[in-house]
Amino acid sequence: MVSNGVNIPLVELINAGIEINGERLSAGITFNVTRGEFVCLHGPTGSGKSLALSMIAGILRPTFGEVRVAGDCLNNFTEREMAIVRRSMGIILQDVSLFTGTVMDNIRYGKLDATDEECIAAAKLSGADSFICLLYTSPSPRDPKTS
C-alpha cells in the first residue's frame, strides 16, 4: 500500500511479545514486511521466530506491543475478524500444529461460518481427504476413531 508516497508495511510488529506470570517469553519483536517482499525469519532456538508468526496469525495475542496488518492493529480483533485476516496470508511454521477441536474445526478455522460440505470440499481440494479418512470410521471427517 502506498499512502502519500510512503510505502506502508503490510505486516508490522512493534515491540510485540508475550508475558506470562511477569516473565517475557522474548524481548519485544520489531520488524515489518512491505508489499512485494519475501521474508524468512531465522535464528537460534527460542529467539522468537515461531512466536512472531503466531502473533501475526492471531494464534497467540501479544500482551505488550502491537501487531499490525495493512495498518490495522490486530491486538483486539475478534476471532471472526482474525479469520478474515488469515484468509489473506500464508504462514509456514516449523512445527505442525492443530488447534483444539476436531479436524473439521481445524479446516473451518480459516472460515468460521463454513458448512460441513465446504470443509469436506476444501479437504478434497487440498488432497488432505485421503489421510483424514484414515482417522475416521466414515468417509466424512465428523466422527474420529480416536475421540
Side-chain angles (χ1 to χ4, degrees):
M1 277 181 228
V2 177
S3 175
N4 298 328
V6 177
N7 202 16
I8 297 173
L10 289 178
V11 176
E12 187 172 24
L13 275 75
I14 306 166
N15 195 36
I18 295 180
E19 186 174 284
I20 298 176
N21 296 326
E23 183 180 337
R24 287 188 173 198
L25 297 184
S26 72
I29 301 168
T30 300
F31 73 90
N32 65 58
V33 180
T34 56
R35 182 174 301 282
E37 281 187 296
F38 288 88
V39 176
C40 173
L41 300 180
H42 61 92
T45 300
S47 62
K49 303 174 300 291
S50 294
L51 179 65
L53 293 175
S54 294
M55 287 189 294
I56 292 167
I59 297 166
L60 297 173
R61 301 294 179 119
T63 56
F64 61 92
E66 291 184 354
V67 176
R68 295 181 168 275
V69 172
D72 293 324
C73 182
L74 305 184
N75 293 34
N76 297 315
F77 270 33
T78 65
E79 198 53 44
R80 185 164 294 283
E81 291 168 323
M82 280 308 306
I84 293 167
V85 171
R86 280 187 204 103
R87 278 188 228 141
S88 68
M89 59 176 68
I91 295 176
I92 300 172
L93 298 173
Q94 65 190 20
D95 296 318
V96 175
S97 296
L98 289 179
F99 304 107
T100 58
T102 66
V103 171
M104 187 76 79
D105 294 336
N106 277 261
I107 294 171
R108 189 174 280 121
Y109 197 70
K111 184 181 177 197
L112 297 176
D113 60 350
T115 65
D116 285 357
E117 289 70 27
E118 287 175 311
C119 292
I120 292 167
K124 288 179 180 177
L125 182 65
S126 70
D129 60 320
S130 59
F131 73 82
I132 291 171
C133 287
L134 294 175
L135 301 173
Y136 293 83
T137 57
S138 69
S140 172
R142 292 188 175 112
D143 301 293
K145 287 182 196 175
T146 57
S147 63

